[in-house]
Structure formats: C-alpha cells, structure tokens
Amino acid sequence: GNRKTKIKVTDIRENPLNFYEKEDIYKKTIDKETGQDIELVSLAEGIKENGQMHNVVVYEDTTINDGKKYTLISGARRYKATLMNYEKGDCNGEIDALIIAKPSNPYEEQMLIIEGNKQRRREFQSKQTAYQEVLAMEQIFDEYKKSGMIPKGQVNKRKFVAASLGISEGTV
C-alpha cells in the first residue's frame, strides 16, 4: 500500500512523462541578475523557513540504472526547491513523500501525473497546458479501449476526457 515517509531528495528522478514542467508549458520568470527561476527560489525559501507543506508523490523503481530509487509523480516544484536547498547546504536533503505502487503502464502513470496536477487553477492555466492534458487523456482512452478496459459503446472519448479532467465536454 501507500506509505508516507522521508526520503533523500537525491534518490528521486524526474518523470519524463510530466509535461507540466516542459518549457512551453511552464513559463518561468527569470531573475535578470541571477538567471534563476524567481518562483522556484521563492518556494525554496518558503520551504526552508516554514517546512514542506505537502508531500511529493513517488513510486519505487530501481530497474533504471541511474543511481536513483524513486520516480516522481507529483510535486516536481517542491522536489526542485528542496534539491536547491540541499545543494546550497540549507537542509539535510530529506523530503516528505508519499510512496505509491508503481503504475502498471505509462497510461496509468500519465493519469496519475494529471491527477496530481488538478490543484493547478484552470483560470491561470495556459491553453497549451489544457491542450496537452486533453491529448494525454485521449491517448489514455484509446489505449484503454484497445485493451478492453472500456466496454464498447459505454463511454465516448469526449465524455471520458471531460470526466477525467473535471471539465465540460464542450471544453474538450
């Protein structure tokens, strides 16, 4: 089952399926003097001063030969901020984590990533991010339908995507 614990931030690998952190989706505000992401620096400072408010979500995977033990599902910004603090010597390198079962396939993993990002406020979300979410959910629907996980005629793609993302069918 799932368990909450502290793990080493250096044991975590970023998830290549997490499109939320890609340059064309997440628009960084860069400090002209330092060249650093202002929001990330602010988050790191907040974690240093007040502690970590929410767990990162990871699953254990030692099959990838990269020296890491966990793959990140949710909390990429908290992970990066804690890693930044650790590299500056401002913390002991531990991060609060919820360790979940390894997803059985990339589609399940993508759904978990999208679910973990539902807290992002839609009115501040770019059209590009919303479009990427819809594309990912359409791909998941197609794969689930192909594998028989969605009975024929039961649910159409638009309804599935809308319900999964918590948006209207018209928005899809």
Side-chain angles (χ1 to χ4, degrees):
N2 299 345
R3 72 181 201 274
K4 292 180 182 178
T5 189
K6 288 190 177 291
I7 60 176
K8 293 180 183 175
V9 72
T10 54
D11 282 344
I12 300 172
R13 77 181 59 81
E14 291 188 58
N15 195 317
L17 296 176
N18 183 1
F19 59 81
Y20 293 97
E21 289 297 309
K22 293 188 176 162
E23 292 293 325
D24 59 334
I25 302 293
Y26 174 69
K27 305 291 186 211
K28 296 178 183 176
T29 306
I30 304 297
D31 183 299
K32 289 180 178 157
E33 290 179 24
T34 65
Q36 293 183 306
D37 179 346
I38 293 171
E39 291 176 23
L40 186 62
V41 170
S42 176
L43 179 58
E45 196 62 34
I47 290 172
K48 183 173 91 173
E49 290 175 11
N50 305 310
Q52 184 183 336
M53 301 292 199
H54 302 283
N55 295 329
V56 296
V57 179
V58 298
Y59 64 85
E60 193 167 348
D61 186 357
T62 55
T63 62
I64 301 170
N65 194 14
D66 63 357
K68 309 284 185 185
K69 188 174 178 182
Y70 304 99
T71 300
L72 194 60
I73 289 289
S74 176
R77 311 276 302 142
R78 289 184 297 277
Y79 156 76
K80 288 176 182 179
T82 302
L83 184 61
M84 179 185 289
N85 284 340
Y86 175 67
E87 289 171 347
K88 289 184 350 189
D90 290 338
C91 73
N92 66 3
E94 290 187 336
I95 190 166
D96 295 324
L98 173 64
I99 302 173
I100 63 170
K102 182 178 178 180
S104 58
N105 59 58
Y107 303 103
E108 182 182 331
E109 189 167 348
Q110 187 74 75
M111 283 188 77
L112 288 170
I113 291 168
I114 291 170
E115 183 65 32
N117 282 280
K118 275 189 176 174
Q119 86 285 355
R120 292 179 189 250
R121 303 226 9 203
R122 290 225 183 263
E123 58 265 27
F124 299 120
Q125 189 177 44
S126 73
K127 287 182 180 181
Q128 181 64 23
T129 304
Y131 179 66
Q132 288 297 318
E133 286 180 336
V134 169
L135 288 179
M137 291 309 301
E138 285 178 340
Q139 189 177 25
I140 291 165
F141 177 88
D142 292 341
E143 184 60 31
Y144 281 7
K145 189 165 187 168
K146 188 168 65 176
S147 66
M149 293 173 65
I150 296 176
K152 290 184 180 181
Q154 291 286 359
V155 178
N156 69 36
K157 187 185 292 191
R158 183 178 296 225
K159 192 172 289 223
F160 174 85
V161 171
S164 298
L165 296 176
I167 59 178
S168 74
E169 289 181 50
T171 302
V172 172

